[in-house]
Amino acid sequence: MSNGLRSERAFDPKIVAFCCRHCAYAAADLAGAMRLRYPHSVRIVDVPCSGRVDPLEMLRAFERGVDGLLVAG
Amino acid sequence: MSSLLEEIGLERERIEMVNMSSAMAVQFAQAVENMTQRVRELGPNPLQATRGSDNEE
Amino acid sequence: MIVGERKPLSEIMELLSGAQKVLVAGCGTCVTVCFAGGEKEVGILASELRMKSKLDDHPMEVEEATVQRQCEWEYIDPLLERLDEYDVVLSLACGIGVQAMNERFSGVVTLPGINTTSLSLPVEQGIWEERCQACGDCLLGTTFGICPIARCSKQLLNGPCGGSQEGVCEVDSDTPCVWQLIWDRAIEFDQVKRLLDIQSPKNWSLSRDGGPRKIVREDLQLESE
């Protein structure tokens, strides 16, 4: 998607979701298997445990321009 | 973490923590939907505005 | 260990005002284990600074370096070759580290990013309690291993003051009365009698009152003049 197109359309927030491998990541997997619809602009990052996510990684995400962050355990 | 964001000048609402089990696919989709909606209201990350388009996919 | 606390971002931003290129320098020893100025905290602060300065429309270039110990020449010397690239160094080490950097590197100023607070014990996760004031004349041997200099609000040497209430200090209800602790320990060892000797005034000249202190160990010096 080009930048021009992006700005003309409604704002499509880029969300990063840090997902626990055993809970939310599996839930996301299931959501896919169930053909559930959810915003495509979410980027899922698989982590071994949501406790693994630390402030440094979250800050780096914002620094690189992510609009919102979801930590799902 | 949210106070870190505020110190920098980003809204603390840009970050959210949710809890679910591996069977809660519907809740997962809902959480993503809610977060997208909330961030849409907040508008883009202001740090993105000054960023070059080369970082875009 | 030496314990410190990160300064607020606003204060750091003020210290750095005008700088274009900054090196955030961490220390891998005391401030790492008290989570104030190790590699991770350096990363967090550097990221914060990049974002904050960008949002303030004066983007700074911020780089990171953490050395094993900022209070020894051997460890900081390797930083020298890259230092002339920076307008300023922001050190997350204790006050000793900040000064070591300034003494060693004349071309660039090193500013403090943390407040060095105390010599403390991590009594539990996330809590550091002061245990030593480096008074230079240790009296733990007479007080059953509990220090009234660091832990009594009034630094009393001969038992508690009238403000000791049910084992709690009158100055701060979160602070136990250290003389209560000492007394309890004396009872435990059945040596209360030892506490009845009157302690003469402490020799404070060995502490800060004698001016800056210095230890010279000729046996350790490489050459004597």
Side-chain angles (χ1 to χ4, degrees):
Chain A
M1 190 192 299
S2 85
N3 231 11
L5 260 179
R6 189 181 152 94
S7 53
E8 280 160 29
R9 289 159 54 125
F11 165 52
D12 214 0
K14 192 184 279 184
I15 310 280
V16 164
F18 288 108
C19 293
C20 161
R21 184 171 302 159
H22 307 281
C23 315
Y25 190 81
D29 222 7
L30 184 61
M34 288 166 67
R35 306 284 185 268
L36 290 178
R37 296 185 76 87
Y38 59 86
H40 61 273
S41 50
V42 64
R43 308 303 199 266
I44 294 175
V45 180
D46 165 30
V47 288
C49 169
S50 52
R52 163 68 182 80
V53 185
D54 82 22
L56 188 52
E57 283 144 8
M58 301 198 248
L59 288 176
R60 289 272 152 82
F62 282 113
E63 208 182 327
R64 285 170 196 177
V66 154
D67 299 306
L69 238 165
L70 198 61
V71 180
Chain B
M1 182 63 210
S2 40
S3 54
L4 266 184
L5 286 190
E6 292 211 319
E7 214 180 20
I8 298 164
L10 294 170
E11 302 87 346
R12 61 168 65 214
E13 290 78 17
R14 288 189 187 275
I15 190 161
E16 177 67 22
M17 188 155 178
V18 292
N19 222 312
M20 64 189 65
S21 87
S22 58
M24 292 161 81
V26 178
Q27 285 84 345
F28 177 81
Q30 193 57 51
V32 173
E33 182 58 57
N34 291 348
M35 195 62 199
T36 306
Q37 195 50 44
R38 189 204 286 186
V39 174
R40 188 170 283 141
E41 280 160 26
L42 289 171
N45 176 352
L47 288 158
Q48 214 174 24
T50 49
R51 199 183 60 172
S53 57
D54 52 337
N55 286 343
E56 283 289 337
E57 54 188 301
Chain C
M1 68 179 77
I2 296 176
V3 167
E5 265 183 309
R6 237 280 308 276
K7 284 177 179 290
L9 188 62
S10 53
E11 185 182 343
I12 293 177
M13 288 300 289
E14 207 155 299
L15 280 173
L16 294 178
S17 62
Q20 304 264 305
K21 194 163 178 190
V22 178
L23 179 70
V24 181
C27 175
T29 309
C30 309
V31 292
T32 290
V33 284
C34 73
F35 302 92
E39 197 171 358
K40 183 183 274 186
E41 292 74 28
V42 165
I44 290 173
L45 178 62
S47 181
E48 281 189 275
L49 288 173
R50 283 190 289 265
M51 289 196 264
K52 180 77 180 151
S53 62
K54 208 165 171 183
L55 289 173
D56 289 352
D57 274 339
H58 295 289
M60 286 189 294
E61 219 177 307
V62 185
E63 289 179 10
E64 307 163 22
T66 300
V67 296
Q68 183 61 38
R69 264 202 283 292
Q70 243 181 69
C71 58
E72 291 196 45
W73 307 137
E74 288 83 350
Y75 289 107
I76 57 176
D77 280 348
L79 289 175
L80 179 62
E81 50 195 67
R82 44 193 289 210
L83 276 188
D84 52 357
E85 300 170 33
Y86 304 99
D87 300 323
V88 61
V89 176
L90 184 80
S91 166
L92 294 192
C94 71
I96 307 169
V98 176
Q99 293 182 69
M101 294 282 286
N102 279 308
E103 278 177 56
R104 199 63 161 179
F105 310 125
S106 52
V108 58
V109 69
T110 299
L111 302 172
I114 71 169
N115 294 318
T116 309
T117 52
S118 55
L119 301 175
S120 291
L121 175 74
V123 286
E124 60 181 88
Q125 195 73 17
I127 298 180
W128 289 265
E129 282 183 3
E130 185 158 27
R131 285 291 184 270
C132 180
Q133 285 207 344
C135 72
D137 187 17
C138 191
L139 45 73
L140 286 169
T142 60
T143 57
F144 296 89
I146 301 170
C147 181
I149 303 302
R151 300 180 64 187
C152 169
S153 300
K154 304 175 185 181
Q155 302 185 322
L156 297 180
L157 291 177
N158 286 291
C161 68
S164 174
Q165 309 270 332
E166 293 173 358
V168 174
C169 175
E170 68 171 347
V171 174
D172 175 8
S173 57
D174 279 344
T175 306
C177 171
V178 77
W179 274 104
Q180 181 76 54
L181 299 179
I182 294 169
W183 186 257
D184 291 347
R185 197 136 163 93
I187 291 173
E188 190 185 325
F189 289 110
D190 201 18
Q191 292 181 23
V192 168
K193 252 186 93 186
R194 276 180 53 194
L195 289 180
L196 301 180
D197 298 335
I198 301 294
Q199 298 293 318
S200 49
K202 185 173 165 59
N203 179 4
W204 286 105
S205 74
L206 297 168
S207 182
R208 284 282 311 148
D209 291 20
R213 292 167 284 178
K214 178 176 177 175
I215 293 175
V216 179
R217 285 274 305 269
E218 281 175 7
D219 57 327
L220 294 175
Q221 287 181 296
L222 292 182
E223 47 190 90
S224 46
E225 290 173 28

